[in-house]
Amino acid sequence: MNHINPSRRRLFSRKKSNAIRPPWSKTDIEFTDICTRCDKCIQACETQIIFRGDGGFPEINFADDECTFCNKCAEVCPEPLFLDTEHPPWELKAVVQETCLAYKGVWCQSCKDACDERAIGFKSAIGQAPKPVIDTDLCTGCGACAAPCPTDAINFLSLDQ
């Protein structure tokens, strides 16, 4: 009987990655099928949030800055990886995790202060620090709220997940 090693089985699986790809890029599987890992998008990124991630494919990291949706990554890409910029850049929305200082009773609104779209509000409660509330209709997923968060409590999820 021929058994396939579980690690070898993973080699052939097509599991969707949790990586955040550049704005306007095609789905993750299409992206990794087409991307040549030339790094042109990484070099073109004005806020330096694109880096070489798992497998050498471009990924977004909001730890230091935000996406300005300048479209330079799409403009320099020699491959057909990007959709027309008339589409929304992505389905990403900010999500506040339990490590948020407000959930620990500390008054902090650094994410709200950084959000130009005013997608982050705070709900007051008697005797408690106000808790963050994300308006997903206003959130562009730009990541501006992530870098100033002192506890890295903001993650980004795609609405289609």
Side-chain angles (χ1 to χ4, degrees):
M1 182 179 277
N2 189 2
H3 293 287
I4 296 176
N5 179 323
S7 62
R8 189 164 181 212
R9 185 177 294 127
R10 266 184 254 120
L11 177 69
F12 297 108
S13 69
R14 300 286 300 203
K15 189 176 120 183
K16 184 172 166 54
S17 167
N18 288 330
I20 299 173
R21 301 293 178 206
W24 293 288
S25 59
K26 293 185 177 180
T27 65
D28 194 59
I29 291 175
E30 287 179 290
F31 188 91
T32 56
D33 282 350
I34 300 170
C35 179
T36 62
R37 299 173 270 198
C38 69
D39 293 345
K40 288 182 181 179
C41 60
I42 295 171
Q43 297 160 6
C45 182
E46 65 181 24
T47 56
Q48 301 296 294
I49 61 168
I50 305 176
F51 70 101
R52 188 178 266 264
D54 191 28
F57 294 103
E59 294 182 23
I60 301 288
N61 183 340
F62 295 123
D64 296 323
D65 215 332
E66 67 188 277
C67 182
T68 61
F69 304 114
C70 68
N71 198 30
K72 290 180 182 174
C73 54
E75 290 172 359
V76 300
C77 183
E79 304 302 327
L81 282 173
F82 293 88
L83 302 171
D84 190 317
T85 56
E86 291 179 17
H87 291 90
W90 46 37
E91 295 296 318
L92 291 179
K93 301 295 176 181
V95 177
V96 180
Q97 306 299 308
E98 291 298 317
T99 56
C100 174
L101 289 176
Y103 295 128
K104 311 281 187 222
V106 177
W107 190 295
C108 175
Q109 296 188 0
S110 60
C111 57
K112 177 183 176 184
D113 296 340
C115 183
D116 288 340
E117 302 300 322
R118 299 181 187 257
I120 304 174
F122 278 78
K123 185 175 182 178
S124 297
I126 296 172
Q128 298 179 357
K131 307 288 189 293
V133 178
I134 308 280
D135 182 336
T136 57
D137 290 333
L138 294 176
C139 180
T140 63
C142 70
C145 57
C149 179
T151 61
D152 296 323
I154 300 178
N155 286 340
F156 293 85
L157 297 175
S158 178
L159 289 182
D160 62 2
Q161 286 183 343

